[in-house]
Amino acid sequence: MDLVNHLEGRLLFAVPKKGRLQQATLDLLSGSDIQFRRETRLDIALVKNHDIALVFLPAADIPTFVGEGRVDLGITGRDQVAEHEALFPATEHSGVDEVLDLGFGKCRLQVQVPEKGSITDAKELVGRNVVTSFVGLTEQYFARLEGQGSENGTVNGEVPIRNKLRTKIKYVGGSVEAACALGVADGIVDLVESGETMKAAGLMAIDTVVESTAVLIKSKHPSDQKLVDLIASRIRGVITAQKYVLCQYNVRRSLLEKATDITPGKRAATITALEEEGWVAVSSMVEKSRIAKVMDELTAVGAIDILVLSIANSRTG
């Protein structure tokens, strides 16, 4: 099939083709009932049950394609969006709008230096060599330290930041953490997830440039806003289902206020009278991370028959 000629009339949705965000993104699409089959070595897949085509791109490129309106929707890291905007400031017709924080892929873009070195403050790197894959954000960061930058990549709106910086910023596409050990840099600006790679390289973080997580973004002028809203609603429902469980229990009506203080729900708990006089059944959404403590607290106030049910999907206000 000539996929390019089948894109007419379809919403284009860019997703990471590899890397740390890919599997979680594919799981999210599956939970949202976006059905597709990706052929081997093809970076375009037609969705079977919607007028959507998935475009598999490097996460770093997705803000560019969405920002220029070449695709309508995308999933990438907030760090990549910030880097794109640092290099190519948004205008009325270009740039991206963040639709939804997806909650996975959390990391930090941090300034790092050798743990056994003498540098302990980022200001000490001014005028030295810094290596990074995020040149735009790093230039903005050091321009602020040097007291001469702005948010649009220029100095006083005229001269590009890089032409005025005393700090020498060098780009590398990978293995940034090796730059200090190889003598290429005095410090680096790189992504940190668990911090294990940083520690293994003998580095320590001295400042954070950007906090990042995966985000759903859209172009300023999507081809089908109604379909964008539908996909966003489905994804939001999957995220809510992953975050919450349904807690059900029985409690005496006289103890109901204490119990619902523990399980207020997203909006309000659902309360149903039982056949046995003076008793009610309560159903409430509870954050999954809190459920063990909530069950302990419910038991302590007199709730019984406590059940916890998984939520497969949701639509909540």
Side-chain angles (χ1 to χ4, degrees), residues 2-19:
D2 183 1
L3 290 177
V4 174
N5 292 324
H6 285 75
L7 299 183
E8 185 72 28
R10 289 181 178 266
L11 186 89
L12 301 185
F13 190 168
V15 296
K17 67 185 298 183
K18 58 182 180 180

Side-chain angles (χ1 to χ4, degrees), residues 159-174:
V159 182
I161 284 176
R162 66 179 59 87
N163 294 341
K164 286 289 185 177
L165 283 181
R166 289 183 286 128
T167 309
K168 302 170 186 65
I169 297 169
K170 302 176 182 178
Y171 171 83
V172 296

Side-chain angles (χ1 to χ4, degrees), residues 19-90:
R20 62 189 181 87
L21 302 182
Q22 188 194 44
Q23 189 55 54
T25 297
L26 296 179
D27 292 343
L28 198 59
L29 297 180
S30 176
S32 303
D33 193 33
I34 296 177
Q35 302 172 14
F36 69 95
R37 179 184 175 187
R38 183 185 179 191
E39 300 292 341
T40 305
R41 294 206 295 267
L42 287 182
D43 287 337
I44 296 175
L46 303 183
V47 174
K48 300 175 184 177
N49 56 336
H50 292 286
D51 289 331
I52 299 172
L54 299 180
V55 185
F56 292 84
L57 297 169
D61 294 341
I62 289 175
T64 299
F65 283 85
V66 177
E68 292 183 359
R70 306 300 179 182
V71 298
D72 303 285
L73 271 177
I75 291 177
T76 188
R78 185 174 282 129
D79 55 304
Q80 300 293 353
V81 175
E83 173 69 5
H84 173 75
E85 291 179 345
L87 294 171
F88 308 102

Side-chain angles (χ1 to χ4, degrees), residues 88-281:
F88 308 102
T91 68
E92 182 181 350
H93 301 290
S94 66
V96 307
D97 292 332
E98 182 176 318
V99 179
L100 194 59
D101 184 330
L102 302 178
F104 61 85
K106 292 182 180 180
C107 62
R108 300 174 302 282
L109 184 64
Q110 294 189 310
V111 183
Q112 302 166 42
V113 295
E115 197 169 19
K116 296 182 179 179
S118 60
I119 297 174
T120 58
D121 190 297
K123 291 180 180 178
E124 297 175 59
L125 285 171
V126 170
R128 302 198 185 194
N129 294 318
V130 176
V131 163
T132 185
S133 298
F134 292 82
V135 172
L137 287 172
T138 302
E139 287 178 347
Q140 279 191 352
Y141 176 85
F142 280 98
R144 287 192 292 270
L145 286 187
E146 295 182 23
Q148 60 176 357
S150 70
E151 293 300 318
N152 64 358
T154 64
V155 179
N156 299 323
E158 298 176 355
V159 182
I161 284 176
R162 66 179 59 87
N163 294 341
K164 286 289 185 177
L165 283 181
R166 289 183 286 128
T167 309
K168 302 170 186 65
I169 297 169
K170 302 176 182 178
Y171 171 83
V172 296
S175 300
V176 179
E177 69 279 355
C180 291
L182 295 174
V184 178
D186 300 295
I188 66 170
V189 176
D190 199 19
L191 289 178
V192 177
E193 292 183 73
S194 67
E196 293 301 318
T197 301
M198 178 177 66
K199 291 176 183 176
L203 301 171
M204 65 177 184
I206 56 175
D207 201 5
T208 298
V209 179
V210 169
E211 299 266 356
S212 183
T213 185
V215 290
L216 177 69
I217 58 175
K218 69 173 184 176
S219 73
K220 291 188 179 293
H221 304 285
S223 61
D224 188 338
Q225 184 62 53
K226 186 176 180 181
L227 188 51
V228 167
D229 292 341
L230 175 67
I231 297 305
S233 175
R234 288 191 176 192
I235 290 176
R236 188 177 290 109
V238 173
I239 292 170
T240 299
Q242 292 172 345
K243 186 177 180 181
Y244 288 86
V245 291
L246 190 65
C247 182
Q248 297 180 335
Y249 56 91
N250 297 329
V251 68
R252 291 184 182 277
R253 187 175 287 279
S254 60
L255 300 172
L256 180 59
E257 185 175 352
K258 289 182 179 179
T260 53
D261 280 346
I262 299 168
T263 60
K266 272 182 69 68
R267 181 160 304 184
T270 300
I271 301 166
T272 308
L274 296 179
E275 288 293 323
E276 186 173 346
E277 187 175 351
W279 284 82
V280 295

